[in-house]
Every structure is written in C-alpha cells, then in structure tokens.
Amino acid sequence: MSEVNLNQLIKLLPKAELHLHIEGTLEPQLMWDLAQKHCITLPFSSVKAIQEAYHFDSLQSFLDLYYQGADVLRDEDDFFALMWAYLCKCHEQNVVHTEIMFDPQTHTERGIDYAVFMAGFERAINKAKKEFDMSVYLILSFLRHLSEQEAIDTLQQAKPYYSMITAVGLDSSELGNPPSKFQRVFSLAKAEGFKLVAHAGEEGPPEYVWEAINLLNVDRIDHGVRSSEDPSLMAYLKQHQIPLTVCPLSNLKLCVVDDLSQHNIHDLLNDGLHVTINSDDPSYFGGYLNENFIAVAEKLPLTEQDIINLASNSISASFLPLERKQHLIECIKVVASKTSTGEYNACEQRTNEY
Ligand code: ADE
Ligand code: ZN
C-alpha cells in the first residue's frame, strides 16, 4: 500500500485510545482563554508563546509545564470544555472507544473538589455518548511523586463517583517512585473491583515493569517500551499477552527515543507482544491518535496488516465487554476490506456507525 493509502486506512479505521491524560489535551488556546476568564497571569505573552515553550528534555521537564498548565482549570465548565474538545477530536478521528486518565490530585491539591471536575467530565461524556455513539471509560490515576497515603485518601474521596470509574492508574515522575511504593492502594482498588494499569518502563527500568505486574497485579502496562532490555520480561509479556499502551510521539518529545525510526514499537509487534498506539498528552506532544499512527508509519516499515493489527489490539486490550469488542473488531475488518478495494475514498468520514 502506498503511504497515502496507509494514511487513509489509519484515518478510516475505527480505533480505541487507551492511554490519554485528559489534562494533557489542554490546547494552548483553551489555556489562554481560561486564564483570561479567571484573571490568571500566565508566564507567557501569547498563545504562540505557549506553543513555543513545548520543548522538553525529560519527563520531569514536561510534567513541570503540564501541572502549571492545569492550574487554569477552575470550574465545572472548564472541565466540561476540556473533555468535550477531546471527545470531539475522537469523533473526528474515528476513535470509537476511549479510556481516559484523570489526575484528581492535580486538582484537589489546588482546592478543587471532585464534585467540580467529575460533574464537568460527566456532562461532556454523556453528550458524546448521545451525539457520537461512542463509549468512554475513566481511569483515576495516582500521582506517584506523592505518598501512598495520599493515594489512599484520593481513592476514598472518589467513593461517590466509583460508578463513573473503570480503572485506577499510576502516573507522574517515574524514576525514584517505583510501583512497589503503591502496593497497598492498588490492592484496595482491586478489592473495590477496579481494573488496574500503571506507567512503567517509560523512563524507568524493566524492573519497574516486573513490579507493576508482580506487586500491583496490573491488567495493562502504560508505555513499557524499556521492556525490550529484558528478554525474560519480553517472553513473559508475550506469553501472558499483557498489553503495552505505547505512545510514540510522547517518547519522541520526551527524548525516550532520538528519532521515531529508532522506536521499538515495530519490533515489539513483530515479537508478538500486545502493543497499542496512543497519544498520551496530545496537546503537548504534537498529535492526537491518528497523527501518532501516521508518524510511526512514516518512519517504520509498517504494513497495512500491521495497522489493522494495531487497531484490533486497541479494542482487544480495552476494558470493554466481550460483545462490544467482537462487534468493533468486526467493524475494523469491514472498513479494512472496503478501504483496500477502494470502496472508501480519502475524503470519506465515517460517523455514528459503531
Ligand atoms: N502524566 C501525564 N503524562 C505522563 C507521562 N507520559 N508519564 C508519566 N506521567 C504522565
Ligand atoms: Zn501517560
């Protein structure tokens, strides 16, 4: 398939996104508008200046800006606007299911209560379910640079909202904050019936991926790209088909890789691992889901079948019920065959069919 047709296939395929931080979808224009609305003085003189500040040399250099940016989110309408903008983008890109991380501590630490952000999220999610016929799950993520007790308190404060939440996760500064620090809170979350995910092997070593598996009992690993340094871990991930939610443009922007041509996602796929493509923090890293697929397809020798497998993996690695998974994988097959026979053209937008 030519590059143009591969890009067309990427755009038309129904897909799921499994690794996305809602705070990382805050576009510079919305940051600017909310700062004006709340009379907040930003350390930037224009929207363009915000964009130009997005150069990072490590995860921490990004997180500093990401937490500062989130400070403009103050009331329910702000959280609605943030979530709605992302869900509209999903609809535009044929993302038919998404599992969205949110960081309660980023907001509660600033005195903004669960009631404020959960109400904004809920309103946007209900609107998207109705208007776009998409499915949306939430993942409550603990900030790993804070203590385990603070994570436990955060889980307890979420109790009135448990029915809105599918899974818990672990994010923020990885190095020096291993999964073992959060064993108790993950076991409490499991007892409440939540699915479990954790960032591991982004900047941290393969041992952190082992800890997430053996001590936290996670269902998926977020990132996990450093797993390739440990052959026994690779064999384990393959045998148990533990999904890795890989984020190529994030890895590039945070200098986990120097160039996407050196990214190991194609090798991980060829080695039989259950890998998916995701956007992580699209506003900060220069692309949403389709842009991540396209960037990888430009730099690595991915085939049409690889793209189809990555889209199918995104569905099978999700927390959706089996029946919807089977339906969406069927939809992928139909779109893939119609695209390869030219039944869909490049301008076609598929909507509301899933
Ligand atoms: N929070 C938002 N994006 C993150 C990432 N890529 N790694 C860890 N924590 C994050
Ligand atoms: Zn992430």
Side-chain angles (χ1 to χ4, degrees):
M1 228 184 199
S2 71
E3 196 173 286
V4 174
N5 290 342
L6 217 49
N7 290 355
Q8 185 186 341
L9 176 68
I10 289 167
K11 289 175 188 167
L12 289 172
L13 280 174
K15 299 162 291 280
E17 174 141 74
L18 306 179
H19 182 161
L20 179 284
H21 303 264
I22 196 63
E23 293 84 359
T25 68
L26 179 62
E27 290 289 341
Q29 184 67 56
L30 184 58
M31 190 192 293
W32 184 262
D33 292 346
L34 294 181
Q36 303 252 303
K37 170 182 163 185
H38 297 296
C39 304
I40 298 165
T41 308
L42 290 174
F44 306 107
S45 57
S46 65
V47 174
K48 194 157 172 274
I50 301 176
Q51 262 149 359
E52 284 168 358
Y54 290 176
H55 294 286
F56 314 109
D57 58 14
S58 63
L59 174 58
Q60 194 58 51
S61 66
F62 153 69
L63 289 170
D64 293 343
L65 212 72
Y66 164 89
Y67 294 126
Q68 183 188 77
D71 184 44
V72 301
L73 299 161
R74 300 279 172 101
D75 64 28
E76 182 189 320
D77 286 346
D78 302 345
F79 289 97
F80 168 84
L82 181 73
M83 182 63 84
W84 180 242
Y86 168 64
L87 295 173
C88 288
K89 183 60 85 170
C90 287
H91 183 54
E92 207 181 291
Q93 298 205 339
N94 287 321
V95 175
V96 295
H97 174 69
T98 176
E99 301 186 356
I100 303 172
M101 280 179 255
F102 67 106
D103 293 336
Q105 288 155 296
T106 298
H107 312 301
T108 52
E109 290 238 309
R110 301 181 288 121
I112 293 167
D113 196 68
Y114 265 94
V116 175
F117 50 86
M118 293 310 273
F121 292 158
E122 187 174 33
R123 204 150 45 88
I125 290 169
N126 286 342
K127 188 170 158 74
K129 284 181 178 168
K130 204 161 113 200
E131 293 183 19
F132 304 150
D133 197 25
M134 59 187 294
S135 38
V136 181
Y137 289 173
L138 288 177
I139 302 175
L140 183 166
S141 279
F142 305 116
L143 298 182
R144 70 201 303 160
H145 65 274
L146 301 177
S147 71
E148 183 177 48
Q149 188 53 52
E150 285 165 293
I152 292 171
D153 296 344
T154 299
L155 182 64
Q156 276 163 358
Q157 288 158 17
K159 214 164 193 122
Y161 307 97
Y162 278 3
S163 65
M164 285 177 65
I165 299 166
T166 301
V168 304
L170 186 64
D171 61 13
S172 191
S173 322
E174 187 181 8
L175 291 170
N177 296 295
S180 52
K181 182 176 160 188
F182 295 92
Q183 243 174 295
R184 271 190 315 140
V185 70
F186 269 65
S187 106
L188 289 172
K190 194 172 176 68
E192 293 288 352
F194 292 115
K195 299 283 189 188
L196 309 174
V197 301
H199 284 53
E202 178 185 16
E203 283 189 341
E207 290 72 38
Y208 283 21
V209 179
W210 278 122
E211 283 191 10
I213 294 168
N214 293 329
L215 304 181
L216 302 187
N217 292 305
V218 294
D219 298 287
R220 289 197 303 246
I221 296 286
D222 291 320
H223 293 293
V225 287
R226 287 197 58 195
S227 302
S228 57
E229 295 168 28
D230 178 345
S232 62
L233 177 57
M234 289 288 283
Y236 188 93
L237 292 169
K238 179 179 175 178
Q239 187 190 348
H240 296 272
Q241 286 294 293
I242 298 173
L244 303 184
T245 62
V246 176
C247 307
L249 286 175
S250 164
N251 294 153
L252 179 68
K253 292 292 154 80
L254 299 187
C255 306
V256 171
V257 291
D258 294 334
D259 192 280
L260 279 185
S261 60
Q262 286 150 28
H263 200 287
N264 62 5
I265 188 163
H266 195 215
D267 295 335
L268 296 171
L269 195 63
N270 283 341
D271 286 342
L273 268 66
H274 199 171
V275 284
T276 65
I277 288 188
N278 305 272
S279 70
D280 206 5
D281 301 284
S283 163
Y284 292 89
F285 301 149
Y288 286 79
L289 190 57
N290 285 352
E291 288 78 31
N292 272 269
F293 268 86
I294 290 168
V296 169
E298 267 171 14
K299 291 286 184 147
L300 294 170
L302 292 189
T303 63
E304 180 184 349
Q305 193 56 51
D306 288 331
I307 301 293
I308 295 166
N309 291 345
L310 285 162
S312 297
N313 283 355
S314 74
I315 306 296
S316 55
S318 76
F319 296 134
L320 282 168
L322 187 61
E323 203 178 309
R324 182 155 164 81
K325 282 187 185 182
Q326 286 169 339
H327 167 68
L328 291 175
I329 288 173
E330 217 32 62
C331 292
I332 288 173
K333 287 183 189 156
V334 171
V335 174
S337 82
K338 287 192 179 180
T339 308
S340 72
T341 56
E343 270 181 70
Y344 289 144
N345 65 46
C347 303
E348 189 158 357
Q349 267 289 331
R350 301 175 52 73
T351 53
N352 290 339
E353 289 180 32
Y354 310 107

